[in-house]
Each structure stands twice: as structure tokens, then as C-alpha cells.
């Protein structure tokens, strides 16, 4: 289901997630790609300052709302290291962005955090398809998901020290 180009963009998301981890943030990274395959915007998680709405997929939705016409937004693809949370999925849906490709699913993250003994957060981990009508969603990729898992293990072990 995923193309080689999809995997290349997902690897960039994982690099951004690693950058977040190095800055003390949770390891999530996302990239917005145009219909022509150009990277338009990219970001990583920035919640370490205490604002837990600073997710990269939300930053992408805001950037797209300010910089792209609705017809352009619909043709984009959002790549992300981890499936959108419900807040980001809602932002994606309201702004009218296109396909979503993720390396790892929310269900995988829930399992990983449970294995690490991390208590669940305040927001339910609904799948994107429960939040956005007619969402076009691809993922996870088992090999890339393992790279994401390792970043989450490193983050939570560093928090437990
Ligand atoms: Zn989010």
C-alpha cells in the first residue's frame, strides 16, 4: 500500500521525531507534501514548554490554512511518524487536507506506552477514521514503526530517570 516515496517521507518524519527527542520533546514528526511531491512544511512535537497542543500535525493544519487554497490543501499528503491524535485529526479535517500516511498507529502507541508502564493521557486514542469523515489513511509500516517505537522507549526511559 505504501510506495518507496511514501517511505522516504516517513523516514524524514522519524528524523524530525528524533530531533524532538533530542530537545526533550515527545518523539513525533510530520511533513506536509504537495501534489507534486514537494515538501511544503515540516515540524516536530514542541510540548516540553507545557503547551500540550503543540503537535506537528496541528502546526501543519494551521500552516496550510494560512498558506494554501482549499483546492490545494485537498491534494496534499500529510506524512507523520505517529497517527494523528483526535485533536490533530479534527484540525486536519476542518482545514480540508488530503491523504494521511503514518509510520505507526495510535493503537501501537497505546500498546508501547502500556508496555512501558506509562499512564494513559487525558484524550482517548481514537483512530483518524473515527474523527474525519471519508479520511484517506495509509499505515502503519511495520519496519518504520519499530524505529518509532525505539524513540518512544528512549523518551520514556529518559523521563523515568
Ligand atoms: Zn496531535
Amino acid at each position: 500500500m505504501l510506495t518507496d516515496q511514501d517511505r522516504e517521507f516517513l523516514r524524514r518524519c522519524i528524523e524530525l521525531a528524533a530531533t524532538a527527542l533530542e530537545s526533550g520533546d515527545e518523539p513525533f514528526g510530520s511533513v506536509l507534501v504537495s501534489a507534486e511531491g514537494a515538501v511544503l512544511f515540516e515540524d516536530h512535537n514542541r510540548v516540553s514548554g507545557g503547551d500540550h497542543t503543540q503537535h506537528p500535525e496541528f502546526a501543519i493544519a494551521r500552516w496550510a490554512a494560512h498558506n494554501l487554497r482549499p483546492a490545494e490543501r485537498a491534494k496534499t499528503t500529510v506524512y507523520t511518524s505517529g497517527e494523528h491524535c483526535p485533536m490533530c485529526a479534527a484540525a486536519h479535517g476542518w482545514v480540508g487536507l488530503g491523504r494521511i500516511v503514518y509510520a505507526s498507529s495510535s493503537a501501537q502507541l497505546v500498546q508501547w506506552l502500556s508496555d512501558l508502564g506509562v499512564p494513559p493521557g487525558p484524550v482517548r486514542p481514537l483512530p483518524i477514521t473515527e474523527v474525519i469523515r471519508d479520511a484517506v489513511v495509509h499505515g502503519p509500516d511495520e519496519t518504520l514503526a519499530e524505529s518509532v517505537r525505539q524513540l518512544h522507549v528512549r523518551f520514556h526511559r529518559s523521563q523515568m530517570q
Side-chain angles (χ1 to χ4, degrees), residues 114-147:
S114 161
D115 291 346
L116 289 164
V118 177
V123 176
R124 287 185 199 282
L126 300 175
I128 291 165
T129 49
E130 291 280 313
V131 179
I132 306 176
R133 265 186 240 287
D134 305 321
V136 179
V137 177
H138 293 132
D141 176 273
E142 291 310 322
T143 306
L144 295 173
E146 175 54 23
S147 304

Side-chain angles (χ1 to χ4, degrees), residues 32-55:
L32 177 66
V33 175
S34 72
E36 294 74 33
V39 172
L40 299 173
F41 183 82
E42 57 180 32
D43 204 3
H44 58 70
N45 189 285
R46 298 176 187 279
V47 304
S48 62
D51 177 356
H52 284 267
T53 69
Q54 297 290 337
H55 296 183

Side-chain angles (χ1 to χ4, degrees), residues 69-104:
R69 293 189 305 273
E72 291 174 308
R73 292 178 216 158
K75 291 183 201 148
T76 59
T77 300
V78 174
Y79 292 91
T80 188
S81 62
E83 181 176 1
H84 292 42
C85 75
M87 172 185 75
C88 294
H92 183 107
W94 282 120
V95 166
L97 288 166
R99 176 180 176 236
I100 294 173
V101 183
Y102 54 75
S104 61

